[in-house]
Amino acid sequence: MDYLKITGGTKLSGAIDISGAKNSALPVIAATILSDQELTLTNLPNVVDIRTLLKLLGMLGGTVEHNGTVATINNGSMNSTKAVYEIVSQMRASILVLGPLLARFGECEVSLPGGCAIGQRPIDLHLKAMEALGATIEIKGGYVRATAPNGLQGSKIVFDKITVGGTENTIMAAALAYGTTTIINAAKEPEIVQLCEMIASSGIEVKGIGSSEIIIEGTGQKPLKFQDTEIIPDRIEAGTYLCAGAITNSEITLNRVNTTHIEASINKLEGMGCSFDIQDDSITIYGNNRLNPVSLITTEYPGFPTDMQAQFMAVATMAIGESVIEERLFENRFMHVSELNRLGADIWLKGSVAAVRPVAQLYGADVMATDLRASSALVLAALVAKGDTNVRRIYHLDRGYDNLEGKLASLGAKIERLSE
Ligand code: EPZ
């Protein structure tokens, strides 16, 4: 199994390109099911999760040509509506095929994703929304079976809780429903905006893009014809590299980035004493050798993202006072705490709140990645830990960070991928 060996203590410098957003590419790929014609997606991140979802399209009978950052997809040949356990258990975002399969074919079976390292993560809100659109849902043998033999009917859907994936599934289902669907309390993440814009590019009316109320005029089971789509820059990858600049007190530049999407992270890093030069699609961070402590609460976009919580916790270990970090979205997203403490951090957990006390130095150790963002937090901590850190189970990192070790090495980090 591969692991990363990182020798800490090196300052970073230089510039890197940010890849396309995994969490935008996944719903965009799922949305291609709504079409029976060819389209090309560009700026895909070269990560395992993207390959897994493209493989699923192939298993459903779609035709996929994939080469690095570009995929040409034609789902005209799709002839299966069953997303099997083998794939869904590898990646829970496979649940995103539920809405489009059901809307286009009037039925589908999707394996239930099960629990995950960051929380229970139920899909009840996705299923309720499909029911509100007229589907019958049955759960049997570990699978969700959804049917709507006469197509879905546009409806008003009020989400009890803001859900990114639930909003995405509903937008896709509504696109081929009969009549108008109104989604109240929709998620507003940039990834949702990209999905809405892609759907609108097929000529159907989508109102309220980027707001918490989205209105979609469905086609009544008529497949869509999409424009080719370029995936937006990955705001979480960008935030992670800003944290790399902050924790190592370095000056680094990120190119091909949407700086509006990372305002919450920029704002917190400014409060910690970092400064920035922000251009149209690039940003330079200037570190500070005396980082202030940070206080943050994770929440939905445009608030502070849960997907940046672990990385900020790593940076907070180097601050000159006590930081307080509250996780409000996922009930178990603190698996990195004990691993950071193995590197010498002093982090105390009480319920959903972590207190990060300052330490003079982190020390290299063997640590284990537990989920995608927790893994990147360990890499960040390792960049300043004295000596060598081996980060194991990096298959989590490979799911969502495009060439992490290559990008960090190009900035001067001492990092190598080894096998054991
Ligand atoms: C998306 O997950 C992202 N994944 C996650 O990124 C991200 O952490 C999360 O949104 C929040 O921003 C992708 O986009 C592929 P949610 P998702 O539905 O859609 C509860 C990463 O590291 N909920 O917005 O699954 C849920 O348990 C990943 O890249 C229900 O109760 O998140 C959570 O507490 C990890 N019932 C909250 O809502 C439901 O039916 C928000 O989850 C659905 C969700």
Side-chain angles (χ1 to χ4, degrees), residues 267-287:
N267 183 271
K268 287 295 171 191
L269 288 170
E270 263 171 354
M272 293 182 88
C274 299
S275 46
F276 295 92
D277 178 13
I278 301 175
Q279 302 295 329
D280 274 357
D281 66 350
S282 84
I283 180 166
T284 301
I285 178 169
Y286 304 93

Side-chain angles (χ1 to χ4, degrees), residues 100 109 117 137 182 204 233 237 265 286 316 335 366:
E109 265 186 279
I137 303 282
T182 303
I204 70 172
E237 188 198 22
S265 293
Y286 304 93
M335 302 280 278
D366 284 302

Side-chain angles (χ1 to χ4, degrees), residues 22-23 26 92-93 96 118 120-126 161-166 168 189 306-307 329-331 333 371-373:
K22 165 184 83 81
N23 288 349
L26 291 170
R92 47 179 309 118
L96 292 173
I118 62 175
Q120 199 187 352
R121 300 184 78 186
I123 56 159
D124 57 314
L125 301 174
H126 300 234
K161 193 174 188 177
I162 298 176
T163 158
V164 173
E168 289 164 347
E189 272 65 7
T306 173
D307 289 348
L329 285 183
F330 293 107
E331 67 276 13
R333 207 170 196 179
D371 79 77
L372 177 58
R373 310 303 170 186

Side-chain angles (χ1 to χ4, degrees), residues 7 55 92 99 129 144 147 158 172 180 406 420:
T7 308
K55 183 174 164 197
R92 47 179 309 118
V144 177
T147 48
V158 184
M172 291 187 277
T180 310
E420 56 190 349

Side-chain angles (χ1 to χ4, degrees), residues 235-244 308 311 376 380 401 404:
R235 63 196 169 98
I236 306 302
E237 188 198 22
T240 303
Y241 286 106
L242 291 183
C243 285
M308 285 302 303
Q311 300 90 315
S376 62
L380 293 174
Y401 283 95
L404 178 86

Side-chain angles (χ1 to χ4, degrees), residues 215-262:
I215 303 169
I216 300 167
E217 291 300 329
T219 63
Q221 285 188 299
K222 186 169 171 282
L224 307 182
K225 177 165 172 34
F226 290 122
Q227 307 290 314
D228 291 345
T229 298
E230 179 180 343
I231 303 300
I232 58 171
D234 194 317
R235 63 196 169 98
I236 306 302
E237 188 198 22
T240 303
Y241 286 106
L242 291 183
C243 285
I247 199 168
T248 58
N249 181 21
S250 302
E251 176 187 328
I252 59 174
T253 297
L254 313 182
N255 292 320
R256 296 173 61 88
V257 62
N258 184 323
T259 51
T260 309
H261 295 169
I262 53 174

